[in-house]
Amino acid sequence: MKPRIYDNKPLKSFNPLVAYAGVLFGPPSFITNFKCFATILKEFFFLQYFEKFHILHIPIVHVDHPLDKKIPFTPEKVKIYLDFINLWVRPLAMLVKKFGFWHASRLTKQWMLRFRKLYQCCGKIYHFRLTTTDRPQYKEMREFRQIHALDPHFLCVPSLHVATVFLAYGFYRHIFETEDFTETEKRLWGEELYKGALEITETVLYVKQHSVNCIPAALYLVTQNFPEWITTDDARKFISQLFLTPEGFSEEEAYQVREHIRVTFEQYLVDGKKSANWYEPIWEFLVNYKA
């Protein structure tokens, strides 16, 4: 079947329900997806709740940083924060429309294999040290009530939100180059995904779900474990474009935030070259960190 052309249709116009109902449970990817969901339960939900109910006793590190206070709590941005799953699901719906369910499901399998690996990589950190921050006990909005009810807030470093959207950008950039897409589609959708990844990364700080210390660890994790999709130079560029239009704080303070993220990321790279395993620099950071 000849692929359809969607030169002027943004990814946000594709209904994610198409992906949820179809390719996430399609035959080519079903077993992979099931294993991925099982890993998410194990490494995200079970791990936190076992700690909360004192079944596990993993040390907890507070990773707050003074720079966090420079960024104002902006609860109305929570919908952006919660969009991190649909950021990678909507393009799957686009793949269904463009290539059909069967081929879209095969491409979905490629993503879900890496998405599962992402959680396994994060687990290397979470099983060593759990991390938390002081988040506002804000329950005026339904979204925050849900977040506080479902997320015990023990998995801050590295940020799964940031790692997911950064990896998703790299994955779809790869797909755009290896599959049959027009130049306009590549440009339009690549820019949309990149902008969305930046916006969600900024929002994890605006809604106080993470610290500035959570972002460099996430970017470092992705560059070290998925170099076929994301490079260290991609991460450097990404960092340089964070908070270019800060809201509620100054450009000087935004520069300080970027610089802290950059310096921490670069230190991980330096320490990683001297380490036997990629995760050891983050372990060392958490052992020595004083909030």
Side-chain angles (χ1 to χ4, degrees), residues 82-227:
L82 293 173
D83 197 48
F84 87 108
I85 294 296
N86 280 337
L87 182 85
W88 61 262
V89 172
R90 279 189 296 264
L92 298 183
M94 173 273 293
L95 294 177
V96 171
K97 295 291 187 181
K98 189 170 177 67
F99 298 114
F101 275 103
W102 188 263
H103 190 52
S105 189
R106 290 175 57 199
L107 296 175
T108 298
K109 181 177 180 178
Q110 292 186 34
W111 163 255
M112 296 301 280
L113 284 168
R114 273 71 171 198
F115 195 41
R116 183 188 182 203
K117 180 181 176 181
L118 180 66
Y119 273 80
Q120 292 170 329
C121 291
C122 288
K124 291 286 188 181
I125 312 300
Y126 300 154
H127 287 273
F128 176 72
R129 290 289 188 277
L130 296 176
T131 47
T132 192
T133 62
D134 292 327
R135 61 180 179 181
Q137 292 303 307
Y138 180 84
K139 298 183 180 180
E140 300 301 315
M141 295 173 64
R142 173 177 52 84
E143 291 86 352
F144 281 95
R145 292 194 294 272
Q146 292 174 341
I147 290 171
H148 287 217
L150 296 174
D151 179 10
H153 198 54
F154 290 138
L155 307 181
C156 288
V157 172
S159 165
L160 268 166
H161 262 68
V162 174
T164 296
V165 298
F166 191 50
L167 180 62
Y169 164 71
F171 168 72
Y172 285 110
R173 179 176 62 178
H174 170 76
I175 292 298
F176 293 157
E177 292 300 326
T178 56
E179 297 293 327
D180 191 2
F181 288 90
T182 69
E183 291 302 317
T184 301
E185 288 170 339
K186 294 177 188 179
R187 177 185 55 78
L188 177 70
W189 293 337
E191 290 175 357
E192 184 178 350
L193 283 166
Y194 193 72
K195 181 181 177 182
L198 283 169
E199 193 173 32
I200 289 171
T201 298
E202 293 175 353
T203 303
V204 305
L205 301 184
Y206 279 118
V207 300
K208 302 302 178 182
Q209 278 293 110
H210 283 286
S211 163
V212 293
N213 286 320
C214 307
I215 295 174
L219 300 179
Y220 169 74
L221 179 152
V222 173
T223 62
Q224 299 308 294
N225 290 283
F226 305 92

Side-chain angles (χ1 to χ4, degrees), residues 243-262:
F243 296 107
L244 293 182
T245 54
E247 299 178 38
F249 62 113
S250 70
E251 291 186 3
E252 174 60 28
E253 290 167 331
Y255 170 78
Q256 293 170 6
V257 169
R258 283 194 303 275
E259 190 65 4
H260 174 79
I261 294 171
R262 185 192 67 80

